Amino acid sequence: MNALKPFLSKPWLWSWLAALATFIVTILFTGGASAFGLSQATLTFAAFSVLVGLGQMLVITLGPGNIDLSVPATITLSGTLALKFMDTQDTLILPGLAIAIGIGLCIGLANYGLIKLLRIPPIIATLSMSFLVQSMAIWSNRGLRIKPPEALAAFATGTTLGIPNIALVGLVVSLAVWWLLERSIYGRWISAIGQKLAAARMAGIPVDGTRCLTYILCAILAAFCGYLLASFSGGAALNMGAEYLLMSIAVVVIGGSAVAGGNSNVPGIWGASLFMFLVVSMLNTYGFGAGIRLILTGLIIIAVIVAASRPAGAR
Amino acid sequence: MISESETCPVVSVRGVRVAFGAVTALDGVDLDIHPGETLGLVGHNGAGKSTIVNVINGGLTPHQGSLAYGAVDAAGGGVSAARAGGVRCVFQELSLCPNLTVAENIRLMHQGLTGVGWRREALSLIRAKLSEIFPGNRVDCAATVAELPITERQMVEIAINFLSIGTPPRLVILDEPTSSLDAALAEQLMAHVRRYVAGGGSVLLISHILGEILSTSTRIVVMKDGKVVANRPVSGFSGKSLVEAMGSVVKEKVRAGARDLSKAPLAVSLPAAAGAATAFAARRGEIVGLAGLGGHGQTDMLLSLFRSRSSSWLPKRPQEVAFVAGDRALNGTFPLWSILRNLSIGDLGALSRLSTIAHGEETALGGEWKSRMAIRTPDMGNPILSLSGGNQQKVLFARALATPAAIVLMDDPMRGVDIGTKQDVYGIIRAEAEAGRTFIWYSTEMDEICLCDRVYVFRDGVMVAELTGDDISEERVLAASFQGEAA
C-alpha cells in the first residue's frame, strides 16, 4: 500500500480511471466489436480538446481570475482565415499554418493588452475580445464553406501506424507543454504567479511578460486547433469553436489542476479529454435521448470532480 | 504575591507530546500558568514555542498528555473549550480578516456581541481599549483591516484580545507581539501587561527581545528542542544566563567601527521627496539603515525602489536588486511549494541550461544554504509551511543572498528569527557588504539599526534625518522620529 501512495496522490489519476472505466463499459455493451473504431475516434476528438485544454491550463495556472474565454472565437477565425488563404492549394499549407499561428499571436497580445492597459478583469477582457474576433470571422466567412487543401485534409484524417495523426500532433504538443510546465523556468514562474502575485513580483519574476506570454500561448494553441479542426472536418464553419469553451475549462478542472491556480499537470488534460469524449459515446451507445444524455454527462462530471478533489481535502 | 500552591492554575499542561510526521515538536512538556503572573517563554526557532501556544489555545490536540483550564479538564475540547476557559491568543501571523472592518472582526472573535447596534458598541469598546493600551494612538477603527498598516493591525489585534465581552479573558497569549511595533508602542504594551497582571490576569509572553522578557515577566520558561529546559522566577536570570539556557553562545557584537565609504561609487541615488530633509544615496558595499517608527513609509520606499530597478516585462540577468520580505504571508513565501523551490526561485537562470532547470544543481544549492542558514528541516523537499515562522524567514534570506544582485533590500526581515541565527545573518551581511554588495535595511529593532554604516530616519512617509558613524544611536533615532510632535 505504501508503494502505491505517491501514485494515488497524483491529481490526474482520477481522470484516467474515469476514462478507462467509461471505455470498458462502452466496449462491454457492444461486445467488443467497436473497440478499434471507438479508440480511433476517441483519440482524434480528445486531441482537439487537449490542444485547447493545454492553453487554458496555462492561463488558469496564473491564479484566481485568469481565464481565456476567447478560445472558441479564435478557433473559428483561425480556421476560416487559414482555409481562405490556402484556397485548396497544397503549396500554401505551411504559410497557412503561419497565418493561423499569427492570428493566435495577435489575439493573445490583444487579450493581455486589454487586461493590462484598460485594467479589465480577464473574464471580461477575453469575452469582449471573443465578440470582436467572432464578428471578424462572420464578416470574412459570409456563409461560404471553403475546402481545405487535399494533402492537409488527408493528413488530418489519416493515421500513422494505426494511430490518428491528430493524436500524434496532440502528443507532441503535450510533451512540449509538459517540458514548459515541469522543467523550464517559465513553468516555475507561472506557478509562482498563480500562488501569490505580489511575492512573485518581489522575487524578481517578470510578471507582466510571463502573463502576456501565457495568454499568447493559449491563443496560439487555440488557433492551431482551429487550423487542424477545419482541415479535419472538411471546412471551416462559424460554430466550429462553440463546444470548446466549456470543454477547455472542463478538461483542466477534471484533469486535477488547481482551479485557484499555481498547480497544474499535463497528463490530466489527456485523461479528462478522453473521458469527456467517451462519456458522450457511451451514452450514445446506450441509446439515451439528448435530454437524459446531458443530465447524465453533468452528473458523471460532478462525480469525477468530487472523487478527484478528495485526496487534497483530506490532508 | 500569592504562592503557587494556593491558587488553581489558569492553564495546566501535563506531559504533552506533539509530532508532525518525523519531527517531534513537543516532547513531554509540563507547564502551569497561574493568575497574576506573566510567564515569559523563550527559545530558538523551532524549539516548540508556537506549538505549545497552539496546544493551549485549542488549535492543536496533543498526541499524548493532558490539558486543563482552571479545574476543567479540556483534552480534545478544541478552540471553544479554550475560549470558555478565558484563553485569548494574539497570533504571530496576524489573524484578522483583512476584508472586514475592525468592528466586524471583533464580532467574529466575540460571539457575545449581539443585538441591534453591535457595530457601535464594538467601536466604542475597541476605541476605549486601544487608548487604554496605546495612549495617543491614531488608529482608524472604522476602516477595513486591509487598509491599516501592519503596525496598526497588530495593535488592533492585541486590543481585541484584551476586550472583555461575555467570558472575560483570564490568560492572554502574546506571541511575538512587538515584532511589528516600534520601541515606543512596545513599551506601552509592556506597561499594559504589567497593569493587567497586577489586576489578577495572566499573560504568556513570547518574544525574541530578551529585554522585554526580563523586564516584564515574573517567571521565565526556556524551551529547547520541544522540551522545557529551565523554569524559574525572573530574578534567577540575567540576559547572559538566559541566552546560555537557550543554548546559544553570546557572540561579540559585529559592529566594526564606522567604515568610510564616501569615496565608493554610488549604487542608488534618489532625489529628495517633497517635504523630505535629505536625498537618498547608497554606495557600493554600504549597509544603509531605514529607521523611524513602524509604518512611516520605509516599506513603500523599498517596494518602489525594487520596482524601478527590475523589469516586469523582460527577465533581467544578472538581477540588479533582490528583496527580503518581512510580511512573508503577503509578499514572501509560495505556500504550495517545497522549501527548495521557495529558495531557488530567486535566481533560476543560474541553475539552468537552455532554460531547462538542472535538478542536480538546484539540490546542491538547497544543501549549501540549508547548512549556511541552519534551516531546521530533515529534507529541503518538505513543504515551506512545515517550517516555523523564523525558519521560513531564513529561507527568504537565502533566496535573496543566493542571487548575484548588487543591491539587497530588506523589509524588517528579522521578525521571529532567533538570536543565534540573527547573529549569523548579521555576520553574512557584513561579509557580503565587504565584498561589495549594498544592503538597504529597514528595521524596527535598534540593535540592527546600530549595525548600519549610515541611517535615514523616516517620519510621515519621508526621510527627515541622516545619521552617520557614531551619531547612530537609539536616542538620535527616536529624537528624529518624534521631532516637531507634541508628544
Side-chain angles (χ1 to χ4, degrees), chain A residues 229-269:
Chain A
L229 188 61
S231 311
F232 173 81
S233 50
L238 282 176
N239 63 350
M240 63 190 268
E243 67 170 305
Y244 287 97
L245 176 56
L246 276 179
M247 184 66 89
S248 70
I249 299 165
V251 296
V252 176
V253 176
I254 297 175
S257 295
V259 185
N263 190 10
S264 296
N265 71 87
V266 172
I269 300 289

Side-chain angles (χ1 to χ4, degrees), chain B residues 321-405:
Chain B
V321 282
F323 179 81
V324 185
D327 193 346
R328 61 179 167 272
L330 179 74
N331 54 17
T333 52
F334 297 107
L336 297 178
W337 273 355
S338 65
I339 304 164
L340 182 58
R341 286 192 170 201
N342 265 286
L343 163 63
S344 63
I345 188 70
D347 189 18
L348 286 171
L351 304 170
S352 330
R353 270 178 299 276
L354 301 171
S355 55
T356 306
I357 296 162
H359 280 250
E361 287 178 33
E362 192 181 12
T363 315
L365 180 89
E368 180 197 333
W369 284 97
K370 178 177 188 278
S371 58
R372 255 183 104 173
M373 285 282 173
I375 298 168
R376 283 180 59 117
T377 179
D379 183 358
M380 292 291 279
N382 285 342
I384 183 81
L385 296 182
S386 70
L387 293 179
S388 67
N391 274 293
Q392 291 181 31
Q393 206 61 50
K394 293 185 202 170
V395 176
L396 296 185
F397 253 107
R399 181 197 288 171
L401 293 177
T403 67

Side-chain angles (χ1 to χ4, degrees), chain B residues 111-431:
Chain B
Q111 303 294 332
L113 194 66
T114 49
V116 183
W118 61 266
R119 280 170 203 275
R120 210 161 357 107
E121 193 188 338
L123 268 181
S124 67
L125 282 171
I126 191 74
R127 286 212 172 103
K129 191 54 88 175
L130 270 171
S131 42
E132 180 189 337
I133 304 175
F134 303 106
N137 75 82
R138 285 178 295 182
V139 178
D140 175 13
C141 293
T144 61
V145 168
E147 294 170 83
L148 300 177
I150 188 166
T151 306
E152 294 189 354
R153 263 185 264 170
Q154 181 77 63
M155 291 161 68
V156 167
E157 177 154 358
I158 291 168
I160 285 181
N161 281 286
F162 276 105
L163 282 181
S164 178
I165 303 172
T167 330
R170 301 180 62 207
L171 167 68
V172 178
I173 303 170
L174 299 170
D175 190 352
E176 295 284 349
T178 58
S179 57
S180 311
L181 303 180
D182 58 62
L185 289 170
E187 190 38 56
Q188 291 182 340
L189 174 62
M190 290 306 138
H192 178 77
V193 165
R194 284 187 280 266
R195 284 197 302 272
Y196 175 72
V197 168
S202 43
V203 167
L204 176 60
L205 176 65
I206 299 177
S207 177
H208 281 120
I209 301 168
L210 300 185
E212 269 170 25
I213 293 279
L214 287 165
S215 68
T216 311
S217 311
T218 53
R219 186 158 63 95
I220 295 179
V221 166
V222 182
M223 288 187 74
K224 192 176 164 186
D225 298 330
K227 294 195 180 84
V228 172
V229 293
N231 181 354
R232 293 199 295 275
V234 69
S235 51
F237 285 103
S238 66
K240 192 155 168 284
S241 70
L242 195 51
V243 174
E244 278 167 4
M246 283 192 285
S248 64
V249 183
V250 185
K251 290 180 187 167
E252 280 297 300
K253 282 214 170 165
V254 279
R255 179 118 178 92
R259 296 181 300 156
D260 184 19
L261 289 159
S262 53
K263 289 188 184 64
L266 275 176
V268 186
S269 97
L270 298 174
T278 169
F280 179 86
R283 297 181 177 276
R284 250 193 84 190
E286 197 175 27
I287 304 175
V288 179
L290 307 182
L293 302 179
H296 274 247
Q298 298 94 331
T299 301
D300 292 338
M301 174 184 159
L302 290 177
L303 292 179
S304 66
L305 192 58
F306 183 90
R307 292 205 180 93
S308 67
R309 300 261 157 173
S310 67
S311 167
S312 178
W313 286 96
L314 290 172
K316 209 177 195 177
R317 291 211 68 230
Q319 299 99 310
E320 222 181 309
V321 282
F323 179 81
V324 185
D327 193 346
R328 61 179 167 272
L330 179 74
N331 54 17
T333 52
F334 297 107
L336 297 178
W337 273 355
S338 65
I339 304 164
L340 182 58
R341 286 192 170 201
N342 265 286
L343 163 63
S344 63
I345 188 70
D347 189 18
L348 286 171
L351 304 170
S352 330
R353 270 178 299 276
L354 301 171
S355 55
T356 306
I357 296 162
H359 280 250
E361 287 178 33
E362 192 181 12
T363 315
L365 180 89
E368 180 197 333
W369 284 97
K370 178 177 188 278
S371 58
R372 255 183 104 173
M373 285 282 173
I375 298 168
R376 283 180 59 117
T377 179
D379 183 358
M380 292 291 279
N382 285 342
I384 183 81
L385 296 182
S386 70
L387 293 179
S388 67
N391 274 293
Q392 291 181 31
Q393 206 61 50
K394 293 185 202 170
V395 176
L396 296 185
F397 253 107
R399 181 197 288 171
L401 293 177
T403 67
I407 305 166
V408 178
L409 310 177
M410 304 193 286
D411 179 22
D412 202 4
M414 298 290 190
R415 284 178 211 169
V417 177
D418 64 71
I419 290 177
T421 311
K422 271 184 187 174
Q423 296 293 345
D424 291 343
V425 175
Y426 297 158
I428 294 175
I429 289 174
R430 262 287 147 187

Side-chain angles (χ1 to χ4, degrees), chain A residues 43-45 47-48 51 155-158 163-171 228-229 232 270:
Chain A
L43 282 174
T44 307
F45 285 99
F48 289 120
L51 287 177
F155 171 81
T157 50
I163 301 169
N165 289 334
I166 296 290
L168 292 174
V169 170
L171 190 64
L228 290 177
L229 188 61
F232 173 81
W270 268 98

